[in-house]
Amino acid sequence: MSDTKELTLPQSNAAPGADLTRRDFLNQVTIGALGIAGLGSVAVTYQFFSPNVLFEPATQFRAGTPDLYPIHSVTYLQDQQVYIVRMPEGFYAVSAVCTHLGCITQWKEEAQMIACPCHGSKFKPDGIKLEGPAPRPLPHFGISLTADGELLVDKLQSVKNTQALKT
Ligand code: FES
């Protein structure tokens, strides 16, 4: 005599989850849609109340001590887009942004001039226009010495192109 167990198979041919009624299905879809809409509302509300802060670069910057710049030198500070020009009469801080359409100019050591690569404007080291479509000379910024002896450039302060910092 063999000791066998009978296996009983489920009699239903229904797929798993088929006992979900149409009403239950619609309820779950509605709850899901409301949940998504609620999360969207929370995100929009959070963004609305978050401060919209625009981080702009500082308008004042230190350019090191005067002895870093030999007399008759033009030094381009790429981060600030400013030339530190040292002439016998003193220091100038000259904008490197062309007054024509705002391209960044380049110092040409061999030609001893500042040139704009876009439309060919040329400027003397102190920013005076030599030729080209630029309508004005390159602007000069305020330059001073800090209490500890460093050059301080203020890009918000516009000064005459004859105003040099004597050291
Ligand atoms: S932008 Fe410099 S010459 Fe046009």
Side-chain angles (χ1 to χ4, degrees):
M1 294 228 187
S2 69
D3 200 17
T4 59
K5 290 184 181 172
E6 283 187 26
L7 290 175
T8 55
L9 295 173
Q11 295 299 311
S12 170
N13 290 336
D19 54 344
L20 189 67
T21 65
R22 179 183 171 130
R23 178 183 300 260
D24 290 341
F25 173 74
L26 291 175
N27 282 342
Q28 287 182 6
V29 168
T30 303
I31 290 170
L34 288 175
I36 291 170
L39 286 176
S41 300
V42 168
V44 168
T45 305
Y46 174 77
Q47 190 174 13
F48 177 77
F49 285 109
S50 301
N52 285 331
V53 179
L54 182 62
F55 293 100
E56 292 185 353
T59 56
Q60 284 190 347
F61 67 93
R62 288 173 174 250
T65 53
D67 59 332
L68 294 173
Y69 304 94
I71 295 175
H72 290 289
S73 70
V74 176
T75 306
Y76 177 52
L77 304 181
Q78 185 171 3
D79 290 353
Q80 302 294 337
Q81 298 179 342
V82 166
Y83 296 106
I84 301 295
V85 180
R86 185 172 191 185
M87 292 294 156
E89 67 272 19
F91 283 92
Y92 303 101
V94 181
S95 171
V97 180
C98 181
T99 53
H100 181 220
L101 293 178
C103 287
I104 302 304
T105 58
Q106 298 165 348
W107 169 242
K108 302 289 182 189
E109 180 79 41
E110 65 284 354
Q112 288 291 300
M113 68 177 177
I114 297 169
C116 180
C118 293
H119 311 102
S121 288
K122 294 180 173 62
F123 306 88
K124 293 190 341 190
D126 60 0
I128 301 294
K129 187 183 120 179
L130 293 170
E131 63 181 71
R136 294 179 307 281
L138 297 174
H140 284 216
F141 300 129
I143 185 166
S144 58
L145 272 180
T146 61
D148 56 354
E150 282 196 62
L151 296 171
L152 180 70
V153 178
D154 185 352
K155 291 165 77 174
L156 279 186
Q157 185 187 7
S158 185
V159 298
K160 291 180 184 168
N161 60 8
T162 54
Q163 188 175 329
L165 170 69
K166 296 170 181 34
T167 55

